Amino acid sequence: MLKKRIIPCLDIQNNRTVKGINFENIRDAGDPIELAQRYVEEGADELVFLDITATLEKRKTLTKLVNRIAAEINIPFTVGGGINSLEDAKAIIGSGADKISINSSAILRPDLISEIANTFGNQCVVLAIDAKFVDNEWMVFRSGGRIATELKAVDWAKIGTELGAGEILLTSMNNDGTKNGFACDITGRVSEAVSVPVIASGGAGSKAHFAEVFTKTKATGALAASVFHFGEIPIPELKQFLETQNIPIRL
Amino acid sequence: MIAILKYNAGNVTSVENAINKLGYSTVITDDNSILESADKVIFPGVGEAGSAMRHLKEKGLDEVIKALKQPVLGICLGMQLMCTYSEEGDTLGLGIFETQVKQFPPKDLVPHTGWNNFTSMKSKLFENIQARNDFYFVHSYYAEICKETIAVTDYILPFSAALKKDNFYATQFHPEKSADVGIQLLKNFLKL
């Protein structure tokens, strides 16, 4: 039976893992490679690395880091953050990443989704969507959540998968960093609307929150950062707990 | 020396890293004589069947692979290209395994993405691996079950998770991305 996936997310800035709250107030959470290795040992099912470094030298430093990750990590990993072109995607995949996550660049130029999917296959393209509940509607935001768009989250997820995205990484900006649980409503709606796997993100604060999102929605993965980085929810404990809740999980 | 087949399909870095970590030296090559003289050959693959097969033919690698005598391991797309036919790109394959590759019907999420287990027939490839062990899969096409099937996974329908014929082995899942159990499987293959 296909298992639900537990996915630690490492936000990278200048080669360090960092973590913000509601997309702000960034604090240091250690060396990404060491942290990633710990997660593999603990039984993480996949890893996501999001590079939030904003420099011109970025691509070069990122490909170097991806190389190091690929040499140390024997589970699948996704890399995102500032991938604006097929050339960027080629550099990251060529350095050993399994998947590319794109967000703002896909909103600004949706054809980028198809270009990467046609080159590397749909399974390589993760469409990351940052959604915020505004005026009774879940709307898509871009540029690290700073800029509102006209897109509704469910519509954008559908468009993205039609263009070739093989997976949706859905982050609720309202829930992110709050530790009050995942946004099950929008995660449920998006995962019903598309026929590709959906990863829920934003708001994990307890083991029960993971069980909730897996039982209330069709999400097949759940992503979190700070609860893992700072040891609040050890992954082995989380997985044992999910198994007692009859959720299919890899132990 | 373990030869990893070089063709236009994606990510071979992780296969190379995994084999190197087990203490074997590797070469990524499309050179006939190196492929023929290697101790083992790995036929990896992430990509699209039609364009990958055209590339193999242009380089004459289709005939080279079929004629290999040492243990060969096809992974994911590599495995699918070793079958007779793939619906992806309406492509004839190498015909090593007598089975066809079809697209998953859209009854559940596709691609089949994530960790899944299999029931296996006995094979040296699965030594020290239990039925409850999960491996990492990511694919939208599957090989139908046939007499060469040595492992079956059920997702949407039962399909070939692994195949074997003579010196040819193949897995739909990615051992190089399957943590410790994947390493065990690669170890088993390298010991053949």
Side-chain angles (χ1 to χ4, degrees):
Chain A
M1 185 186 253
L2 184 63
K3 310 304 185 292
K4 302 288 187 185
R5 290 170 288 157
I6 300 299
I7 307 173
C9 177
L10 290 80
D11 287 339
I12 310 290
Q13 190 173 39
N14 303 321
N15 284 317
R16 297 288 291 175
T17 316
V18 294
K19 182 58 200 164
I21 294 170
N22 285 102
F23 286 52
E24 284 166 8
N25 299 326
I26 285 167
R27 62 171 166 156
D28 191 281
D31 176 57
I33 309 265
E34 276 174 32
L35 199 53
Q37 280 173 319
R38 191 185 96 200
Y39 290 143
V40 173
E41 280 162 29
E42 289 180 350
D45 297 306
E46 280 187 44
L47 297 172
V48 172
F49 297 86
L50 291 180
D51 186 54
I52 58 173
T53 309
T55 62
L56 287 173
E57 283 290 284
K58 181 178 167 133
R59 198 207 276 179
K60 225 191 265 171
T61 51
L62 185 58
T63 51
K64 252 194 215 160
L65 180 68
V66 174
N67 254 316
R68 285 178 57 212
I69 298 165
E72 298 297 335
I73 298 299
N74 56 11
I75 62 170
F77 69 95
T78 302
V79 174
I83 294 163
N84 294 315
S85 66
L86 181 60
E87 291 312 308
D88 288 343
K90 280 182 180 166
I92 303 295
I93 299 261
S95 307
D98 300 287
K99 310 182 211 182
I100 291 288
S101 162
I102 50 177
N103 188 333
S104 308
S105 55
I107 296 169
L108 297 171
R109 199 169 68 80
D111 283 347
L112 181 62
I113 300 171
S114 313
E115 288 170 14
I116 303 175
N118 292 339
T119 309
F120 297 106
N122 297 16
Q123 82 290 336
C124 271
V125 188
V126 180
L127 178 62
I129 300 178
D130 292 334
K132 192 174 181 179
F133 196 61
V134 191
D135 296 335
N136 236 11
E137 187 59 67
W138 284 95
M139 300 301 293
V140 178
F141 280 65
R142 68 171 172 89
S143 305
R146 288 189 299 273
I147 300 175
T149 75
E150 301 290 304
L151 293 162
K152 292 178 184 168
V154 173
D155 296 345
W156 178 227
K158 278 196 212 165
I159 296 167
T161 53
E162 277 160 23
L163 288 170
E167 206 161 357
I168 302 283
L169 167 56
L170 179 70
T171 301
S172 160
M173 293 175 60
N174 302 68
N175 300 54
D176 190 64
T178 64
K179 302 194 178 170
N180 290 330
F182 293 97
C184 288
D185 51 347
I186 188 59
T187 306
R189 281 174 54 202
V190 169
S191 60
E192 291 292 335
V194 299
S195 61
V196 301
V198 172
I199 299 166
S201 157
S206 72
K207 289 178 271 189
H209 291 151
F210 288 87
E212 185 185 28
V213 79
F214 286 140
T215 46
K216 286 192 176 164
T217 79
K218 284 171 73 183
T220 59
L223 177 142
S226 56
V227 290
F228 297 141
H229 300 341
F230 302 113
E232 289 158 47
I233 304 180
I235 292 172
E237 237 174 68
L238 169 62
K239 291 186 127 189
Q240 296 285 352
F241 169 77
L242 292 173
E243 170 146 82
T244 66
Q245 304 299 300
N246 294 319
I247 292 163
I249 203 88
R250 178 178 72 105
L251 292 173
Chain B
M1 177 67 73
I2 310 300
I4 300 170
L5 184 73
K6 178 173 149 188
Y7 65 121
N8 68 334
N11 199 354
V12 296
T13 323
S14 37
V15 176
E16 189 188 22
N17 285 333
I19 308 279
N20 291 156
K21 274 198 175 168
L22 289 169
Y24 295 81
S25 55
T26 48
V27 56
I28 298 173
T29 184
D30 57 4
D31 182 290
N32 292 1
S33 58
I34 298 174
L35 287 167
E36 279 158 9
S37 63
D39 298 318
K40 308 270 187 322
V41 175
I42 296 187
F43 183 12
V46 173
E48 195 270 327
S51 61
M53 197 61 206
R54 273 194 299 281
H55 183 88
L56 291 180
K57 284 200 158 167
E58 277 163 24
K59 295 249 170 188
L61 289 167
D62 52 338
E63 294 304 323
V64 174
I65 298 166
K66 278 195 276 188
L68 291 172
K69 296 283 175 270
Q70 67 275 56
V72 177
L73 177 66
I75 298 173
C76 197
L77 179 64
M79 159 171 156
Q80 297 188 353
L81 294 175
M82 290 160 85
C83 300
T84 52
Y85 168 80
S86 175
E87 283 186 356
E88 188 181 25
D90 190 20
T91 306
L92 285 177
L94 300 174
I96 294 165
F97 302 119
E98 307 242 336
T99 188
Q100 300 203 346
V101 175
K102 300 198 160 167
Q103 189 163 18
F104 276 122
K107 281 186 190 148
D108 204 339
L109 305 178
V110 177
H112 171 220
T113 305
W115 298 79
N116 209 331
N117 55 339
F118 52 75
T119 50
S120 72
M121 296 30 150
K122 212 172 142 54
S123 167
K124 281 187 176 165
L125 205 55
F126 304 136
E127 261 178 37
N128 297 315
I129 292 169
Q130 275 82 45
R132 63 177 171 77
N133 288 143
D134 291 306
F135 287 81
Y136 191 79
F137 289 80
V138 53
H139 58 122
S140 302
Y141 294 78
Y142 67 94
E144 290 187 306
I145 291 170
C146 63
K147 64 178 192 303
E148 289 132 358
T149 300
I150 54 167
V152 174
T153 290
D154 199 343
Y155 183 75
I156 299 181
L157 41 75
F159 65 87
S160 294
L163 295 160
K164 179 196 179 287
K165 183 186 184 184
D166 307 325
N167 56 318
F168 293 98
Y169 296 77
T171 64
Q172 178 60 64
F173 50 84
H174 288 270
E176 78 281 11
K177 286 286 162 187
S178 296
D180 292 348
V181 288
I183 299 297
Q184 180 63 48
L185 188 140
L186 288 173
K187 240 188 234 175
N188 294 344
F189 171 73
L190 294 167
K191 276 196 312 199
L192 287 172

